[in-house]
C-alpha cells in the first residue's frame, strides 16, 4: 500500500497516523498516535478497528464514514474510546486509498489538539521518554484482549486501568468464565510493577496442610524433610500476587493474610526472621462476597481490607450486546488456528446464541465456537452447525416481561448488598419503603 520511504515519512509526523486495509485491519500506526491515544502498537497491528476502538463503527465517525462511503472526511471532531475505555476527542481527517482504481483501505490523520474529553479532563498523553515504550515481552493479556463495546465493560476497563496506577488491594467478583484473569494481567502489566513478577494461584488447588509452606516458604529443619524454599509472597516481591477462589482459603490462614497485607512482613515456616516484601494483592471470587461472608467462608476484616478497590465483572447474559463482537473475535482466532475460512454466522444461529443464558460465560461461548471449527472449515455458521446446549434458552420476551425481570434482579441485588434490610434498600433504590415491600411481595422475593 505504501513503500518504506513513505511510511518512514509518516512516522516522523507529530500528528497521529493510522492506516487500515480493505478488511478494516490496522496495517500501520505511527508513534505519535500510540502516545496520543495511549495504545500498544504491537498489540494493535493486524487487529480489526473495533478491537482498538470498540465504538468506532458509529455511522457518524469520520473513520467509519470514509470506510463505508469511500469518500474523504476532512477535519471533523470525533470521539475515540480506546480498548482500555479511555476517551479522547480529536480533530481528524480520513482519506480513502485507491490502487488501480480499486479501494484498498483508508488513512486517518489525528491532530494532537488540546480538546477536552466529555468529562472535562484533558485527553491523556503518555510519556514514553524513559525508553520503556512497550510493556514486558512475556505478558499474555492486555486490555485489548478484553473484547466488548458495551458501556458496562468499557466503564469497567477504564476503572481497572485507573486501579493499575495504585498499589491498593483489589477484590474481583465475577462468575466462572467471565475473564477475571484477563483483568488481573491487564492491571499488572499497566502498573509500575509490570517488570516484576505476576504469580497466580488458585486457592482451591492448595491442600489445607500445605497452605503456609506454599505461601510463606520453608527453611531447613523447620519440619521433617523441609528445605530452604521461597513461598509465593517472596517470589512475588515487587510484583503482583493473584489469589483466585479466595473463599477456598482456610479461615485460619485468612487472618495471617490480613496481617501480611497490613504489615508487609511474614516468617517462613520454621523460621524466626521477618521478611519484608512489597506485593500487591489481587483476590477474586466467583460468588458474591456478601454471600460468602454470610456462609462463614470469608472473614469480614479480610474482606474490608481487600475491598479497597472492587471490580464486578458482568456476566455475559448482562452484556448481550457484546456477543456478536465476541463471536467475530473467536471466528478470526480459530480461522487462524484451524487454517479455516469461516466468514461469519447466520442470523438464525446468532439469534440462538444471543438467547442463551451462558452460565459458563465468555469461556463457554469460546468453547462453543471452537467446537464448530472441529466440524466445519468454511462458509457461514448456520443454526444446524451449533452444538447442542443443555441450558434452557432464554425465551423471547416482550418489553413488559423484560422490564419485570430487570426490576426484580435489581431489587434482589440491592437487598443482598444491604443484608436484606428493607429500609436501607429502599433508600438505596430511591423508592418509599412501602413501595419496596409491595414489589417484594409482587416478585415473590424471599427475605432471609
Amino acid at each position: 500500500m505504501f513503500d518504506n520511504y513513505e511510511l518512514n515519512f509518516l512516522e516522523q509526523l507529530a500528528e497521529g497516523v493510522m492506516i487500515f486495509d480493505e478488511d478494516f485491519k490496522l496495517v500501520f500506526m505511527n508513534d505519535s498516535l500510540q502516545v496520543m491515544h495511549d495504545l500498544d502498537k504491537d498489540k494493535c497491528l493486524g487487529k480489526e478497528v473495533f478491537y482498538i476502538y470498540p465504538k468506532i463503527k458509529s455511522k457518524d465517525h469520520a473513520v467509519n464514514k470514509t470506510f463505508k462511503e469511500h469518500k474523504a472526511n476532512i477535519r471533523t471532531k470525533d470521539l475515540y474510546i480506546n480498548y482500555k475505555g479511555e476517551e479522547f476527542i480529536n480533530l481528524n481527517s480520513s482519506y480513502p486509498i485507491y490502487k488501480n482504481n480499486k479501494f484498498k483501505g483508508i488513512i486517518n490523520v489525528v491532530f494532537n489538539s488540546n480538546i477536552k474529553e466529555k468529562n472535562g479532563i484533558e485527553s491523556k498523553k503518555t510519556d514514553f521518554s524513559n525508553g520503556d515504550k512497550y510493556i514486558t515481552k512475556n505478558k499474555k493479556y492486555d486490555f485489548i484482549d478484553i473484547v466488548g463495546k458495551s458501556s458496562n465493560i468499557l466503564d469497567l476497563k477504564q476503572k481497572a486501568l485507573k486501579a493499575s496506577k495504585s498499589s491498593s488491594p483489589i477484590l474481583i467478583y465475577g462468575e466462572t468464565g467471565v475473564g477475571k484473569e484477563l483483568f488481573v494481567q491487564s492491571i499488572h502489566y499497566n502498573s509500575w510493577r509490570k517488570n516484576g513478577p505476576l504469580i497466580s494461584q488458585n486457592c482451591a488447588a492448595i491442600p489445607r496442610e500445605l497452605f503456609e509452606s506454599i505461601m510463606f516458604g520453608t527453611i531447613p529443619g523447620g519440619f521433617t524433610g523441609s528445605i530452604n524454599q521461597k513461598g509465593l509472597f517472596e517470589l512475588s516481591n515487587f510484583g503482583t500476587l493473584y489469589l483466585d477462589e479466595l473463599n477456598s482459603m482456610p479461615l485460619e490462614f485468612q487472618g495471617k493474610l490480613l496481617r501480611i497485607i497490613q504489615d508487609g512482613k511474614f516468617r517462613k515456616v520454621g523460621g524466626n526472621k521477618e521478611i519484608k516484601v512489597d506485593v500487591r494483592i489481587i483476590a477474586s471470587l466467583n460468588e458474591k462476597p456478601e454471600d460468602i461472608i454470610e456462609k462463614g467462608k470469608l472473614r469480614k476484616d479480610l474482606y474490608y481490607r481487600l475491598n479497597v478497590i472492587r471490580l464486578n465483572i458482568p456476566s455475559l447474559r448482562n452484556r448481550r450486546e457484546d456477543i456478536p463482537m465476541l463471536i467475530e473475535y473467536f471466528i478470526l482466532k480459530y480461522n487462524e488456528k484451524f487454517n479455516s475460512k469461516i466468514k461469519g454466522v447466520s442470523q438464525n444461529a446468532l439469534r440462538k446464541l444471543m438467547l442463551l443464558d451462558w452460565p459458563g460465560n465468555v469461556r463457554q461461548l469460546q468453547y462453543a465456537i471452537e467446537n464448530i471449527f472441529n466440524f466445519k472449515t468454511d462458509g457461514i455458521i448456520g443454526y444446524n452447525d451449533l452444538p447442542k446446549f443443555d441450558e434452557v434458552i432464554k425465551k423471547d420476551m416482550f418489553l413488559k416481561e423484560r422490564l419485570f425481570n430487570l426490576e426484580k434482579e435489581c431489587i434482589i441485588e440491592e437487598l443482598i448488598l444491604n443484608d436484606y434490610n428493607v429500609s436501607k434498600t429502599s433508600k438505596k433504590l430511591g423508592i418509599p419503603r412501602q413501595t419496596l415491600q409491595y414489589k417484594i411481595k409482587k416478585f415473590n422475593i424471599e427475605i432471609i
Side-chain angles (χ1 to χ4, degrees):
M1 199 179 300
F2 290 88
D3 61 32
N4 289 335
Y5 176 81
E6 292 167 325
L7 292 178
N8 185 59
F9 169 75
L10 295 175
E11 188 64 75
Q12 308 307 313
L13 296 179
E15 292 79 12
V17 180
M18 54 184 164
I19 301 173
F20 295 95
D21 65 15
E22 62 267 35
D23 295 321
F24 228 158
K25 290 183 179 179
L26 183 72
V27 294
F28 173 81
M29 174 195 297
N30 69 356
D31 286 347
S32 295
L33 185 68
Q34 178 176 239
V35 174
M36 196 184 302
H37 284 177
D38 195 15
L39 302 170
D40 183 339
K41 186 188 295 187
D42 284 353
K43 281 284 186 181
C44 295
L45 287 173
K47 294 283 198 312
E48 289 194 29
V49 66
F50 59 83
Y51 297 123
I52 306 164
Y53 301 106
K55 291 197 173 185
I56 207 169
K57 286 194 172 181
S58 162
K59 64 179 181 179
D60 297 322
H61 200 289
V63 172
N64 194 46
K65 287 178 71 174
T66 299
F67 189 83
K68 296 290 185 184
E69 301 171 2
H70 299 178
K71 296 179 182 179
N73 286 269
I74 312 297
R75 293 186 72 84
T76 63
K77 185 192 295 186
D78 285 301
L79 169 67
Y80 289 86
I81 302 177
N82 70 10
Y83 56 80
K84 302 176 186 179
E86 296 174 295
E87 297 182 357
F88 308 85
I89 298 177
N90 293 97
L91 290 175
N92 59 169
S93 296
S94 295
Y95 307 88
I97 302 170
Y98 287 93
K99 187 174 183 179
N100 299 326
N101 293 322
K102 291 185 177 179
F103 177 75
K104 290 295 182 180
I106 66 170
I107 180 170
N108 188 61
V109 181
V110 182
F111 300 97
N112 193 359
S113 60
N114 290 319
I115 297 174
K116 305 282 187 177
E117 291 185 35
K118 289 190 299 183
N119 59 8
I121 302 173
E122 286 193 13
S123 297
K124 180 178 178 180
K125 300 177 181 64
T126 304
D127 180 14
F128 289 116
S129 59
N130 59 4
D132 186 20
K133 184 178 289 187
Y134 304 112
I135 300 170
T136 49
K137 295 179 181 179
N138 63 342
K139 68 178 178 180
K140 187 176 181 182
Y141 297 118
D142 200 347
F143 286 107
I144 197 170
D145 300 299
I146 304 171
V147 177
K149 62 179 181 180
S150 58
S151 296
N152 52 5
I153 204 69
L154 288 175
D155 290 345
L156 185 63
K157 287 206 283 186
Q158 188 176 52
K159 185 177 180 181
L161 178 64
K162 291 178 180 177
S164 70
K165 308 307 177 186
S166 84
S167 288
S168 298
I170 298 175
L171 185 63
I172 298 177
Y173 161 65
E175 297 176 5
T176 298
V178 294
K180 295 187 285 291
E181 180 79 25
L182 272 70
F183 276 92
V184 171
Q185 291 202 24
S186 298
I187 290 168
H188 173 78
Y189 290 116
N190 282 274
S191 73
W192 65 265
R193 299 174 184 270
K194 61 189 176 185
N195 293 316
L198 167 61
I199 294 181
S200 300
Q201 178 63 56
N202 188 315
C203 295
I206 304 177
R208 191 183 193 94
E209 61 274 11
L210 296 180
F211 239 96
E212 287 201 43
S213 58
I214 289 176
M215 290 290 182
F216 298 152
T218 57
I219 63 169
F223 55 88
T224 304
S226 64
I227 59 175
N228 189 18
Q229 183 171 305
K230 291 182 178 181
L232 295 183
F233 277 95
E234 194 170 358
L235 292 171
S236 305
N237 199 20
F238 298 113
T240 304
L241 177 58
Y242 170 43
L243 300 174
D244 190 18
E245 295 192 39
L246 183 71
N247 49 299
S248 298
M249 180 180 288
L251 282 172
E252 62 270 21
F253 189 83
Q254 290 183 22
K256 297 177 181 179
L257 173 61
L258 176 62
R259 286 196 295 274
I260 296 173
I261 297 173
Q262 291 175 337
D263 303 333
K265 298 176 184 178
F266 70 93
R267 292 189 181 96
K268 288 187 175 183
V269 175
N272 296 317
K273 180 183 176 182
E274 282 194 334
I275 299 174
K276 188 171 179 61
V277 289
D278 183 357
V279 177
R280 184 181 203 176
I281 301 295
I282 302 179
S284 67
L285 302 161
N286 54 21
E287 297 180 64
K288 284 189 176 181
E290 296 79 9
D291 293 347
I292 297 173
I293 290 172
E294 188 175 335
K295 294 175 183 177
K297 294 182 179 179
L298 180 64
R299 289 176 55 134
K300 280 188 177 182
D301 49 3
L302 177 60
Y303 165 69
Y304 295 141
R305 188 66 190 92
L306 290 172
N307 201 42
V308 176
I309 299 175
R310 170 83 166 265
L311 300 178
N312 293 329
I313 304 178
S315 61
L316 187 56
R317 61 185 172 275
N318 289 327
R319 56 180 186 111
R320 293 181 186 274
E321 61 267 48
D322 291 335
I323 291 177
M325 188 174 177
L326 284 162
I327 292 171
E328 189 170 348
Y329 173 82
F330 292 133
I331 288 175
L332 289 170
K333 175 180 179 177
Y334 289 119
N335 268 334
E336 183 176 346
K337 180 178 179 179
F338 287 85
N339 195 25
S340 300
K341 296 180 180 179
I342 292 179
K343 296 179 180 179
V345 60
S346 71
Q347 285 298 313
N348 284 340
L350 178 60
R351 180 171 179 78
K352 179 177 179 179
L353 294 172
M354 289 288 290
L355 290 173
L356 284 166
D357 264 347
W358 299 109
N361 293 289
V362 178
R363 186 184 298 143
Q364 184 187 6
L365 174 61
Q366 177 181 349
Y367 293 159
I369 301 300
E370 183 181 5
N371 171 278
I372 294 168
F373 273 79
N374 281 278
F375 304 100
K376 190 178 183 71
T377 58
D378 55 23
I380 299 292
I381 296 174
Y383 188 92
N384 293 329
D385 295 317
L386 300 180
K388 291 183 178 180
F389 296 97
D390 296 329
E391 301 82 32
V392 177
I393 293 178
K394 181 181 175 68
K395 67 175 183 177
D396 290 341
M397 292 187 294
F398 292 110
L399 178 61
K400 186 176 181 180
E401 292 177 86
R402 293 184 180 183
L403 291 174
F404 180 94
N405 289 338
L406 179 61
E407 187 177 13
K408 180 179 180 179
E409 289 174 8
C410 288
I411 290 174
I412 291 174
E413 180 181 354
E414 204 59 46
L415 280 168
I416 292 172
L417 294 175
N418 289 281
D419 294 324
Y420 292 91
N421 185 300
V422 176
S423 297
K424 289 182 180 179
T425 303
S426 64
K427 289 179 181 178
K428 285 288 184 181
L429 292 172
I431 59 176
R433 191 176 190 278
Q434 294 83 352
T435 303
L436 177 58
Q437 287 177 321
Y438 164 76
K439 291 181 180 293
I440 290 171
K441 185 176 180 180
K442 171 186 173 183
F443 295 127
N444 195 27
I445 299 172
E446 183 180 359
I447 299 294
I448 299 175

